[in-house]
Amino acid sequence: QVQPVESGGGLVQAGGSLRLSCAASRRTFGTYAMGWFRQAPGKEHEFVSAISWSGGSTYYADSVKGRFTISRDNDKNTVYLQMNSLKPEDTAVYYCAQTRGRWATTDRLEYAYWGQGTQVTVSS
């Protein structure tokens, strides 16, 4: 398995929480940085968050800073996105992606492997 696989999406009311999970290749997971992007209907892919290979460095989009937390468990080959205080504007398909480098990046072009996405819908 090379392609990451997301889970944990769903329907939640505004102000609620969801935790997304992303399982990636065991052979490479602990070596590479991971990221989350999202795409709302009619909009382009938007960077959400990224984490370095060790978890020591993280980036967040301004729109989610203070509400979302990215983390990883290299023993479980999984990266997480804890989403709190969700807003209707967070509604989108959320994609997990893996880079070929160690360091977190906001640049979509640096991500080599992408999951199929998981739908997050926040109702008002």
Side-chain angles (χ1 to χ4, degrees), residues 57-119:
S57 177
T58 57
Y59 291 150
Y60 296 95
D62 288 342
S63 59
V64 307
K65 203 170 292 183
R67 301 187 297 122
F68 290 11
T69 303
I70 191 171
S71 62
R72 66 189 296 160
D73 185 337
N74 287 350
D75 290 336
K76 296 182 178 179
N77 308 310
T78 302
V79 62
Y80 304 97
L81 186 67
Q82 178 67 44
M83 305 185 296
N84 298 329
S85 302
L86 283 162
K87 305 175 181 179
E89 51 263 44
D90 293 318
T91 295
V93 177
Y94 283 71
Y95 297 90
C96 174
Q98 183 179 41
T99 73
R100 290 198 184 100
R102 288 177 174 263
W103 309 112
T105 175
T106 64
D107 186 352
R108 184 172 181 268
L109 297 179
E110 295 292 326
Y111 290 84
Y113 305 104
W114 292 79
Q116 294 293 325
T118 186
Q119 177 71 46

